[in-house]
Amino acid sequence: MIKIADLTYSYTQKHIISFPSFSVSKEEHCLLLGESGSGKTTLLHLMGGLLRGYSGNIKLNNTELSSMTEVELDKFRGRNIGFIFQKNHLISALTVEDNLRVAPYLAGIPVDTSHMQKVLSDLAIAEKSKNLVSEISQGQAQRVAIARAVINRPPIILADEPTSALDDKNCERVITLLLAVAEQNKATLIIATHDHRLRSIIRKQIQL
């Protein structure tokens, strides 16, 4: 499903990050561990095709990301990768429902309205579907961001520090939600974090 080998990325000639080689199987879950500045977000962005110009290999579903054009990569990413960013990047002027519609539109696939409503129901925010993002709580917006990441049924979900700013109760709630969504979608879940509370929950761990 995911294979990283001999991967390095250079921000400048003096700022070069090298990553350990590893692989993650289909429907397997994994933590990318490390303190701030260790390259966790950079690695997620590389795996998500958001950063290019790397050395080494990144294979997702047996496809080497560097072999694709920008257009091909955009389509591949839209159909294969759900990204949950540290900041939700929702469009506050749009409704919850319309924020979700953006994902299939960008991937060039039809909007499945019934599936969209099911995802919203599973995340307990269906009653907010017609609300503007600016009208809902931060916790609800986080769930909308998760819904947007899985709306295209991607086989890979990448989450960047989803629990680091949360108290214990909400940390447990969010990680339980992510694992449940990944299981429902038969997806591989990769979480970049320095939150040690997650170590006892997800067994496979890569230290950066």
Side-chain angles (χ1 to χ4, degrees):
M1 173 60 70
I2 300 173
K3 186 173 183 179
I4 306 297
D6 303 318
L7 180 63
T8 61
Y9 184 77
S10 304
Y11 282 103
T12 66
Q13 288 185 340
K14 293 184 178 181
H15 187 192
I16 301 172
I17 305 177
S18 297
F19 299 98
S21 298
F22 64 91
S23 60
V24 184
S25 302
K26 178 177 172 58
E27 296 185 51
E28 188 176 24
H29 306 322
C30 176
L31 297 181
L32 300 178
L33 298 172
E35 299 303 320
S36 296
S38 61
K40 300 185 303 299
T41 295
T42 297
L43 180 52
L44 273 195
H45 286 186
L46 286 166
M47 287 193 291
L50 302 176
L51 286 177
R52 306 199 75 178
Y54 57 84
S55 297
N57 301 102
I58 303 175
K59 285 188 176 181
L60 275 61
N61 291 344
N62 294 316
T63 299
E64 169 57 50
L65 296 190
S66 64
S67 69
M68 289 184 278
T69 66
E70 289 294 340
V71 173
E72 290 170 338
L73 182 57
D74 284 344
K75 184 175 290 187
F76 178 87
R77 182 169 49 236
R79 297 186 178 192
N80 291 275
I81 302 169
F83 216 121
I84 302 167
F85 297 91
Q86 288 188 44
K87 296 182 179 180
N88 61 49
H89 296 296
L90 298 173
I91 304 171
S92 60
L94 295 181
T95 65
V96 167
E97 191 175 86
D98 286 341
N99 267 275
L100 265 60
R101 289 178 184 275
V102 169
Y105 172 78
L106 292 176
I109 60 179
V111 176
D112 185 338
T113 303
S114 62
H115 174 61
M116 180 171 63
Q117 290 303 318
K118 182 182 184 303
V119 170
L120 290 171
S121 295
D122 288 344
L123 295 174
I125 47 173
E127 74 280 3
K128 299 293 183 180
S129 63
K130 302 299 183 183
N131 286 72
L132 297 176
V133 167
S134 58
E135 298 173 336
I136 63 177
S137 71
Q138 183 176 354
Q140 289 167 337
Q142 185 179 40
R143 280 179 274 163
V144 174
I146 293 172
R148 183 185 58 187
V150 302
I151 194 68
N152 292 347
R153 299 181 179 91
I156 298 168
I157 300 172
L158 305 177
D160 192 3
E161 299 282 9
T163 63
S164 58
L166 302 177
D167 59 30
D168 287 347
K169 183 177 180 180
N170 283 306
C171 171
E172 182 179 0
R173 184 174 296 166
V174 167
I175 192 60
T176 299
L177 188 60
L178 282 174
L179 289 170
V181 167
E183 183 176 356
Q184 289 165 10
N185 288 273
K186 301 186 185 308
T188 297
L189 174 64
I190 309 291
I191 300 176
T193 186
H194 64 268
D195 189 341
H196 293 279
R197 294 172 295 184
L198 303 186
R199 289 190 176 204
S200 62
I201 299 173
I202 296 178
R203 182 176 300 176
K204 187 178 182 69
Q205 300 168 9
I206 306 297
Q207 184 71 45
L208 302 185

